[in-house]
Amino acid sequence: MLESSVVQKVLGAALRSGGEWAEVFVEDRTASSGRLDDGRIEELSSLRDRGAGIRVVIGETTGFAHTADLSENGLRIAAEAASAVARSGGGGVKEVALTRQTQPSINHIVTMPETVAKADKVELLKRANVAARGEGNSISQVSANYADIRRRILVANSDGLLASDDQVRTRFSVTAVASGDTGMQTGYKSTGFSMGWELFDRVDVESMARGAAQTAITKLKARPAPSGAMPVVLAKGSGGVMFHEACGHGLEADAVQKNTTVFAGRVGELVASPLVTLVDDGTMGPEWGSFSIDDEGRPATYNVLIEDGVLTDYMWDFLRARKAGRPTSSGNGRRQSYEYLPMVRMTNTYVLAGQEDPDEIVRQTPNGVFVAHLGGGQVNTATGDFVFGMEEAYLIENGEITEPLREANLIGNGPEVLKNIDAVGNDFAMGSPGMCGKNGQSVPVGDGQPTLRVSSMTIGGTAS
Amino acid sequence: MSDSNELLDLAVKIAGWANDGEQVEAYVARGNSTTVRVYNADIESFSSAQEEGVGIRVIVDGRQGFAYAGSLDLEVLQDTISEARDNAGFAEYDEFVALAEPDGVPFADIDLFCPSLLNVATEKKIDAAFELEKKLLASDSRITTVPMAIYGDEWSEVALATSTGITAWQQGNDCALSTYCLAVENGDTQTGFGFTVAREFDELDMDKAVADAAKRATQLLGATKPKSRRLPVILDPYVTSSFLGVMGFPLTGEAVLKGRSFFANRVGETVGSAAVTLVSDPTDTRSLSANKMDAEGLASRRVGLIENGVLSGFVHNSYTARRSGTQSTGSAVRSMKTTPTVGCRALTLQEGTQSQEELMKQVGEGVLVRSVSGLHSGVNPVSGDFSTGAEGLMFRDGQLAEPVREFTIASTLQRMLGDVVAVGNDVEQLPSGLSMSVAIGDISISGE
């Protein structure tokens, strides 16, 4: 993407005015997407974006500038802007010798989406539309979206690191609207992997579309969700987002170092039910949140965060690891694009399978809520209070799954909910691809869990 | 910053590349920004950013294609229009797909550009962030941590030209201070945020940002989970603006045309209480989202949506207007990287006559909702079902009482409009537009 001699000169320029450490991040991004709505292919869209972000660190201060001008001169100007914060420091020429790191790619892309005919992408959307509408006359509207993105990155820093990655992700989603006497309801299914076009060998878009339509139709008959505290059973792969919110964000080292998380200073303590082992794993095959290197050039790693209920470690990026005196980050330094500073982010966050028969967990729940699919959520890490939405849920009555429920948020407190997990199934599934937002940046993340039960959570419905 | 119309010239040039029988729109934008983050009396980061890009739409025979590039190099622009042209070949025919055409509505005299902001010294910006942190820490002994104190400013210009004869250009800038804090007392921790946004540096109201953050955090100390029950609530102006953000969807021509609006076929009917008058008015210069043009280059205008509870109409862009047999209301919205869609710009309620205190007196007992969370997952704008996390204070006999947290409020958007008791007169200028307190007569609270 850039000659290493140019990168070396830019790093030199960034350090000249007193910076202690400098980094160049170059990104070349191409994306294509297609949208079907209202029975018609509305639009195909293409995107091309490239540029570099340059970071200079002195003491506790980071200077950052980015540019879309990848010429040596353009990069030099950005480097000088980034190092402006370091002006008070000492000068002197600093030489940087770069060593290329080779990281085996986890991304074995079989068919690059850019080589696939646009007509084939359009065909997928049309098939999904027909399949969803075929589920019944109550399906009144369908939209489907296809998107692929290829992100080539190069990272070099003044420690001599030089690494690159070629990240490809493909996703597909369908939303159906069903209309009836009770109004309108929606059903949504999505899939996304760090894969190319071969995703569609694994995923049948028609069955996804039928699933979205069935969810919408089922919800027409749904009754209002209960209001108040009761047991909640999460189906496998339905609600990894709960852990993402309940503790994932609270285990990010930037929050820990500012003491803005209820999990700060608690390594070695029991913070969850002993049934819970939580992992953040950027190496997990072609999952949505996987990559070979993070956006600071560190290889992705498998990090155990909570083991048998005991907090074992946090997630780290370069600056937070440096401050804590750790030799390296945990491969969790990520950024939305070259226009942003990296920070600590999750990758694929999941709970390991336990011992119990998932059907038995439901049978042993006299009354409660069974969640088939959770939507997004939000957490306040300082208090631990979090919410997430139930997109598809059912009542459990006398140990059996009965009536569908209308959408509602669940609300809980991270440390309390983690302790209230009283059953973990021996099954496991990853959930839908997610986009995690933090401080104005959005990155792809995955989540997963076995079937499990929280003994009590507040369900924010309207039925008494 | 740029007083020549170099950017508009470029947009016009691209639009001129249209072949016979083709419509071309170029949306060209560039901008820069500065962000200073302060933590622990040190600059945590100082970022300076430049960006530019172009989004090109090509329409041939009722088929639309789009491409975006983050560069204004001539060669890249030529590739981009080719890509958009190629994409258009794969869309399916729709007789109503076409670019906007000049409609004779003059641009309101709205100047979003403040030259003095460009001359603010970097040192002054950094000092503002330092002062914000210091003042917030000093404002209350229970405030232990200020995880971030941020100063940011941005300048941007946008030029839009079409082969159908539209040319529009504008520039704007603004600056902001934002922060949040932790308050601790008796082992309980609560958080609060505060911010101030202005077009001129000297108009930033740092003391308000500090007071808001401190009040939000300290008033919640000792909060407990309330009992599940039905109660009236009063939404703080900030919470009202969050709800306005989701209420806009069913009021768009697109949601109506595509069968996703619970307001479809209800124009002239009562859809809310008489206290509800809802307008989209980007020409109201009090609003921070005021703007002279929409995303298709048409003049902004005031659009009445609900008047004294009666549905009066919807917002349209040129496509939804054409398909509905009406005129665009200048309500196209977009980002540089996407094609225009339609949205309620600067959506606000018409203010009432009572202060928040007077609303509490009128209602008697209920919850003052200070913040909501999980709105993106908790509101389904198609069905209207909503349920969101909330924090706030109980009030009884019109007086604030104990703080409450970790509960949800739930209803449907339809029912909530009908349950509006009164709209306050405490108008605040929030980033999304004007907002004020609203009293709702009946909402489900889920807690214990």
Side-chain angles (χ1 to χ4, degrees):
Chain A
M1 295 171 76
L2 276 186
E3 295 289 329
S4 55
S5 61
V6 172
V7 176
Q8 273 173 349
K9 281 184 203 161
V10 173
L11 287 170
L15 294 177
R16 199 154 300 139
S17 46
E20 296 164 4
W21 183 85
E23 174 195 67
V24 178
F25 175 84
V26 189
E27 180 180 42
D28 187 342
R29 178 191 287 260
T30 52
S32 85
S33 61
R35 181 178 73 235
L36 178 144
D37 196 6
D38 207 18
R40 183 176 79 76
I41 302 289
E42 282 192 338
E43 181 179 290
L44 260 61
S45 169
S46 310
L47 178 143
R48 175 81 196 262
D49 218 350
R50 56 178 204 162
I54 295 173
R55 192 156 55 131
V56 176
V57 176
I58 176 163
E60 297 283 303
T61 300
T62 298
F64 179 69
H66 68 77
T67 177
D69 181 355
L70 293 183
S71 69
E72 190 175 330
N73 192 43
L75 290 168
R76 192 186 296 274
I77 291 168
E80 281 161 7
S83 63
V85 287
R87 283 279 149 72
S88 52
V93 177
K94 294 186 184 169
E95 292 287 333
V96 177
L98 297 173
T99 316
R100 180 167 278 279
Q101 322 263 310
T102 46
Q103 182 60 28
S105 176
I106 55 113
N107 241 330
H108 300 288
I109 305 303
V110 179
T111 309
M112 279 292 177
E114 65 207 38
T115 66
V116 174
K118 288 177 182 171
D120 292 349
K121 297 175 183 176
V122 162
E123 192 52 36
L124 276 185
L125 294 166
K126 289 183 178 173
R127 276 168 42 203
N129 179 49
V130 170
R133 287 178 189 272
E135 286 304 289
N137 291 334
S138 57
I139 296 299
S140 55
Q141 192 54 281
V142 176
S143 67
N145 286 277
Y146 163 87
D148 60 60
I149 180 162
R150 180 176 188 187
R151 183 175 185 252
R152 277 168 287 189
I153 61 170
L154 177 149
V155 194
N157 67 33
S158 57
D159 293 336
L161 175 135
L162 176 64
S164 58
D165 197 10
D166 188 349
Q167 301 172 354
V168 175
R169 289 188 173 87
T170 303
R171 69 179 295 172
F172 193 88
S173 64
V174 186
T175 308
V177 181
S179 302
D181 298 341
T182 52
M184 290 180 282
Q185 289 292 338
T186 56
Y188 175 74
K189 298 281 178 204
S190 65
T191 183
F193 283 88
S194 296
M195 296 175 86
W197 185 252
E198 65 274 18
L199 168 65
F200 301 103
D201 298 336
R202 171 192 287 228
V203 171
D204 176 12
V205 298
E206 284 159 335
S207 80
M208 258 177 73
R210 284 192 291 270
Q214 283 158 7
T215 302
I217 293 169
T218 303
K219 277 158 70 178
L220 283 179
K221 294 173 293 191
R223 59 149 100 166
S227 164
M230 61 199 305
V232 174
V233 177
L234 301 179
K236 68 172 177 178
S238 72
V241 65
M242 186 179 93
F243 294 91
H244 179 103
E245 304 297 352
C247 59
H249 280 297
L251 298 175
E252 292 167 341
D254 44 0
V256 174
Q257 286 184 346
K258 288 187 176 178
N259 206 22
T260 57
T261 158
V262 282
F263 296 104
R266 300 196 59 193
V267 169
E269 290 180 27
L270 192 70
V271 297
S273 150
L275 302 171
V276 174
T277 294
L278 181 75
V279 168
D280 183 81
D281 180 9
T283 69
M284 193 182 193
E287 287 300 329
W288 182 243
S290 300
F291 44 75
S292 301
I293 58 166
D294 72 2
D295 299 326
E296 299 180 307
R298 284 290 306 165
T301 48
Y302 175 96
N303 298 302
V304 178
L305 305 173
I306 295 174
E307 190 165 13
D308 301 328
V310 176
L311 180 59
T312 49
D313 201 359
Y314 304 114
M315 289 169 276
W316 304 85
D317 66 359
F318 169 79
L319 278 181
R320 265 46 73 156
R322 177 181 187 253
K323 187 170 179 177
R326 295 168 70 105
T328 63
S329 80
S330 56
N332 289 93
R334 304 182 67 189
R335 52 182 126 201
Q336 179 173 317
S337 76
Y338 74 88
E339 293 166 289
Y340 295 87
L341 274 168
M343 57 183 157
V344 187
R345 304 304 294 264
M346 285 174 259
T347 61
N348 302 296
T349 313
Y350 54 91
V351 175
L352 300 188
Q355 304 290 330
E356 293 183 51
D357 173 1
D359 295 335
E360 197 55 33
I361 294 176
V362 175
R363 273 197 290 275
Q364 288 178 5
T365 307
N367 288 291
V369 166
F370 180 82
V371 177
H373 189 68
L374 285 178
Q378 190 177 336
V379 65
N380 180 338
T381 57
T383 62
D385 288 350
F386 69 99
V387 295
F388 49 81
M390 307 191 293
E391 275 184 5
E392 187 184 348
Y394 301 84
L395 264 189
I396 300 175
E397 295 170 299
N398 303 317
E400 280 181 37
I401 296 168
T402 60
E403 289 185 69
L405 297 174
R406 292 178 77 152
E407 284 172 47
N409 259 331
L410 298 180
I411 189 160
N413 180 268
E416 283 171 29
V417 164
L418 289 179
K419 288 190 173 153
N420 288 342
I421 292 169
D422 65 357
V424 176
N426 58 15
D427 53 353
F428 178 83
M430 289 297 284
S432 308
M435 293 303 292
C436 167
K438 175 176 169 182
N439 295 346
Q441 294 192 48
S442 177
V443 297
V445 293
D447 59 58
Q449 35 68 236
T451 297
L452 56 84
R453 183 175 59 204
V454 183
S455 60
S456 175
M457 268 195 94
T458 297
I459 296 155
T462 56
S464 45
Chain B
M1 187 167 261
S2 155
D3 47 17
S4 77
N5 263 334
E6 185 195 333
L7 208 65
L8 184 57
D9 292 346
L10 182 63
V12 169
K13 179 176 182 166
I14 298 167
W17 292 343
N19 293 330
D20 281 349
E22 212 178 61
Q23 292 186 336
V24 171
E25 172 194 73
Y27 182 93
V28 193
R30 69 180 163 198
N32 59 49
S33 63
T34 305
T35 310
V36 189
R37 296 170 81 105
V38 161
Y39 172 64
N40 232 351
D42 219 339
I43 302 174
E44 184 176 70
S45 67
F46 183 96
S47 304
S48 96
Q50 275 79 39
E51 66 177 336
E52 58 185 26
V54 60
I56 301 180
R57 269 203 291 170
V58 173
I59 296 175
V60 198
D61 299 335
R63 299 158 189 261
Q64 169 170 298
F66 179 76
Y68 166 83
S71 163
L72 300 184
D73 291 347
L74 199 59
E75 203 177 312
V76 174
L77 296 177
Q78 281 163 346
D79 285 350
T80 308
I81 194 171
S82 302
E83 189 63 27
R85 194 170 272 145
D86 187 53
N87 283 338
F90 294 92
E92 290 176 283
Y93 173 75
D94 180 339
E95 61 179 309
F96 302 108
V97 166
L99 297 179
E101 308 217 356
D103 63 359
V105 177
F107 290 116
D109 184 21
I110 299 173
D111 189 4
L112 306 178
F113 179 60
C114 171
S116 71
L117 184 53
L118 301 178
N119 301 322
V120 176
T122 302
E123 282 306 315
K124 213 171 152 187
K125 301 175 183 180
I126 294 171
D127 286 348
F130 276 127
E131 196 185 339
L132 176 63
E133 182 189 51
K134 208 167 132 187
K135 276 191 167 172
L136 182 50
L137 278 169
S139 68
D140 191 303
S141 60
R142 294 167 294 179
I143 293 174
T144 57
T145 310
V146 176
M148 55 180 75
I150 303 175
Y151 168 85
D153 60 40
E154 56 183 359
W155 166 85
S156 66
E157 67 171 327
V158 169
L160 191 148
T162 68
S163 58
T164 56
I166 286 179
T167 54
W169 174 86
Q170 73 173 5
Q171 65 173 335
N173 53 4
D174 57 43
C175 55
L177 284 167
S178 58
T179 187
Y180 87 100
C181 65
L182 270 58
V184 179
E185 187 177 50
N186 302 327
D188 183 34
T189 301
Q190 296 297 333
T191 62
F193 62 90
F195 60 85
T196 169
V197 186
R199 300 210 193 280
E200 300 211 39
F201 186 85
D202 292 336
E203 286 173 3
L204 286 171
D205 189 349
M206 187 185 296
D207 291 338
K208 178 172 168 35
V210 167
D212 282 353
K215 188 171 90 172
R216 283 193 169 99
T218 56
Q219 282 195 338
L220 275 177
L221 284 166
T224 54
K225 201 167 176 164
K227 292 241 177 307
S228 300
R229 60 198 280 209
R230 304 178 73 95
L231 270 181
V233 300
I234 291 175
L235 309 178
D236 238 6
Y238 187 80
V239 175
T240 301
S241 92
S242 302
F243 275 102
L244 287 173
V246 292
M247 194 55 98
F249 174 82
L251 290 164
T252 65
E254 176 160 350
V256 173
L257 285 168
K258 293 181 173 174
R260 293 191 177 99
S261 171
F262 51 77
F263 288 130
N265 305 316
R266 298 200 61 194
V267 171
E269 291 180 25
T270 297
V271 297
S273 85
V276 177
T277 291
L278 199 58
V279 294
S280 160
D281 189 4
T283 67
D284 184 341
T285 50
R286 291 180 303 162
S287 173
L288 286 166
S289 48
N291 202 329
K292 73 174 187 185
M293 63 188 251
D294 82 345
E296 290 184 300
L298 295 178
S300 297
R301 54 209 86 175
R302 183 184 191 279
V303 192
L305 297 162
I306 297 175
E307 200 169 336
N308 301 324
V310 177
L311 183 64
S312 43
F314 301 102
V315 292
H316 287 285
N317 63 12
S318 67
Y319 168 79
T320 64
R322 213 174 283 117
R323 197 171 146 187
S324 311
T326 179
Q327 301 293 312
S328 170
T329 57
S331 304
V333 292
R334 74 191 294 178
S335 84
M336 188 160 61
K337 299 182 183 182
T338 61
T339 51
T341 166
V342 55
C344 294
R345 305 169 53 215
L347 184 64
T348 187
L349 286 158
Q350 186 174 300
E351 64 204 82
T353 56
Q354 294 166 285
S355 67
Q356 191 179 69
E357 290 68 33
E358 289 165 336
L359 290 178
M360 285 196 285
K361 287 205 177 76
Q362 184 186 341
V363 172
E365 181 181 5
V367 184
L368 173 64
V369 179
R370 273 278 157 73
S371 69
V372 287
S373 61
L375 218 66
H376 61 302
S377 61
V379 182
N380 183 326
V382 176
S383 68
D385 289 341
F386 85 80
S387 157
T388 79
E391 292 177 342
L393 295 143
M394 298 295 301
F395 60 90
R396 285 185 201 88
D397 302 324
Q399 300 291 317
L400 285 179
E402 74 278 8
V404 282
R405 56 167 264 271
E406 206 192 333
F407 63 98
T408 61
I409 55 174
S411 181
T412 65
L413 296 177
Q414 298 92 317
R415 211 160 65 209
M416 186 164 72
L417 280 176
D419 288 340
V420 171
V421 175
V423 176
N425 65 3
D426 50 341
V427 178
E428 284 196 29
Q429 289 183 316
L430 298 177
S432 59
L434 302 175
S435 192
M436 64 291 287
S437 298
V438 175
I440 315 276
D442 176 48
I443 278 206
S444 294
I445 310 276
S446 300
E448 288 289 346

